[in-house]
Amino acid sequence: MTDVFAHGGQQVFHEHRRLLFSVAYRLLGSAADAEDAVQDAWIKWSAADRSRVADPKAYLTRIVSNLALERLRSTRHKRETYVGPWLPEPILTGGDACEAAMDAESVSMAMLVVLETLSPLERAVFVLKEVFGFSHAEIAEAVERSEAAVRQAAHRAREHVQARRPRFTADRTRQREVTERFFAAATGGDVNALMELLSPDVTLWTDGGGKVRQALLPVVGAQTVASWFAAIGTVTYQGVEPADMRAELVGINGGPGIVFSSPERVIATVTFDFGPDGRITALHNVANPDKLRAVADGTAHDIGTR
């Protein structure tokens, strides 16, 4: 009987595993930490008296949210002392056309960077309410706060995100087309073609985490950013000769991105943020080797919210 019950519990957990990763990744901005939170949720679920669980999905979401919140609080100091800009750990998300726009937007590098500026509680409330559609009452239970406190946190978080992340962007076909043109121009070293695709005040954020040489401050302006990318085919980067560098267009964090590799390893990823005119307003370049494992292992994540 116990074996049947355990098997049933395993099956239920497996059914919701993708959703739990989706929640944890948006809360933590790290694939490795999200996987750990899901694994810890499995341990708690295995030990729980599941005969008293009326709604496994809500119960599991509550567990993983709490675990992610704990982890978020404990990693805060590490992020405050990080060398250079801190960017989320990128994940592969397969063909970008198949994701719902809202799901893709909520997992984009730009959005995860904004979520990083919220308090852990505000971030959890925003993600559960705005992205996953949980009610204030359900969230209050999940984060162990009063409903009034959750409503207040939701309001603060929404205002904060709206101020930093205006809800207008180029359509996804246009994004894909601009990324392809950027890819061709960068790998061909064409500064002028790159300049045409970049907003005048474009910003490049690079995350080397002190492990590899990267710009410690944002690089601003179309000319500077274009020159940076046009040099890819002519300079040795992280000890890799231009002839050995491979660039590939892939789906990253719900949108089109580029992965740079040597024959031995993934070197960096680049993702883009677009303005309403379709030009690139920001680029996020992750080169910290600790943050490239999820991309290097080649698993495409389904980041759906249902």
Side-chain angles (χ1 to χ4, degrees):
M1 182 66 190
T2 312
D3 285 353
V4 173
F5 191 60
H7 178 69
Q10 207 170 351
Q11 199 175 345
V12 169
F13 187 87
H14 186 72
E15 277 168 27
H16 297 298
R17 189 187 171 93
R18 180 193 58 72
L19 179 71
L20 299 182
F21 177 85
S22 280
V23 171
Y25 178 70
R26 285 171 174 87
L27 288 181
L28 293 162
S30 158
D33 287 350
E35 289 289 4
D36 286 349
V38 171
Q39 203 48 45
D40 290 347
W42 162 247
I43 292 165
K44 282 186 180 287
W45 172 249
S46 302
D49 178 0
R50 295 191 296 276
S51 63
R52 301 175 65 173
V53 176
D55 182 348
K57 180 183 165 187
Y59 183 87
L60 285 165
T61 305
R62 186 163 76 236
I63 292 176
V64 89
S65 300
N66 262 312
L67 288 164
L69 258 176
E70 280 170 31
R71 206 171 270 268
L72 204 52
R73 291 187 181 112
S74 66
T75 56
R76 240 173 140 64
H77 173 67
K78 223 190 314 186
R79 292 184 189 179
E80 281 160 10
T81 56
Y82 195 78
V83 179
W86 182 95
L87 293 177
E89 181 184 359
I91 55 172
L92 298 174
T93 50
D96 62 313
C98 67
E99 272 110 29
M102 177 62 192
D103 292 353
E105 159 66 10
S106 67
V107 83
S108 69
M109 281 281 173
M111 178 59 96
L112 292 175
V113 167
V114 172
L115 293 181
E116 193 61 25
T117 62
L118 297 171
S119 74
L121 177 66
E122 286 167 352
R123 183 171 187 165
V125 170
F126 180 87
V127 167
L128 292 173
K129 178 84 184 78
E130 302 295 325
V131 182
F132 290 92
F134 285 94
S135 70
H136 290 118
E138 288 170 321
I139 297 166
E141 204 181 332
V143 300
E144 294 166 358
R145 290 287 199 286
S146 71
E147 205 173 319
V150 163
R151 282 181 188 279
Q152 213 174 0
H155 179 69
R156 280 198 309 270
R158 200 179 307 112
E159 286 199 327
H160 183 95
V161 171
Q162 280 170 355
R164 287 162 178 74
R165 187 94 189 112
R167 292 302 299 273
F168 55 76
T169 189
D171 73 65
R172 294 168 73 67
T173 311
R174 174 93 175 115
Q175 290 180 19
R176 179 85 197 171
E177 180 204 323
V178 171
T179 306
E180 285 169 356
R181 285 169 57 199
F182 181 93
F183 179 81
T187 49
D190 188 339
V191 175
N192 292 334
L194 285 168
M195 292 275 290
E196 283 173 27
L197 302 171
L198 301 171
S199 285
D201 56 355
V202 63
T203 306
L204 164 65
W205 304 85
T206 70
D207 177 344
K211 306 282 173 82
V212 296
R213 272 190 64 190
Q214 287 288 305
L216 294 180
L217 294 169
V219 178
V220 182
Q223 180 71 61
T224 320
V225 173
S227 303
W228 172 292
F229 281 98
I232 283 171
T234 59
V235 296
T236 301
Y237 180 69
Q238 288 187 39
V240 181
E241 296 293 330
D244 295 327
M245 183 71 82
R246 199 175 81 247
E248 191 185 353
L249 264 175
V250 293
I252 301 177
N253 286 72
I258 302 173
V259 173
F260 293 95
S261 317
S262 75
E264 287 80 40
R265 66 190 200 277
V266 171
I267 303 287
T269 62
V270 178
T271 52
F272 308 88
D273 210 14
F274 302 88
D277 62 356
R279 286 200 288 182
I280 296 165
T281 54
L283 302 96
H284 297 98
N285 171 212
V286 178
N288 179 347
D290 295 345
K291 292 187 180 181
L292 295 171
R293 290 173 189 151
V295 169
D297 85 6
T299 305
H301 291 271
D302 175 349
I303 43 92
T305 55
R306 294 288 169 264

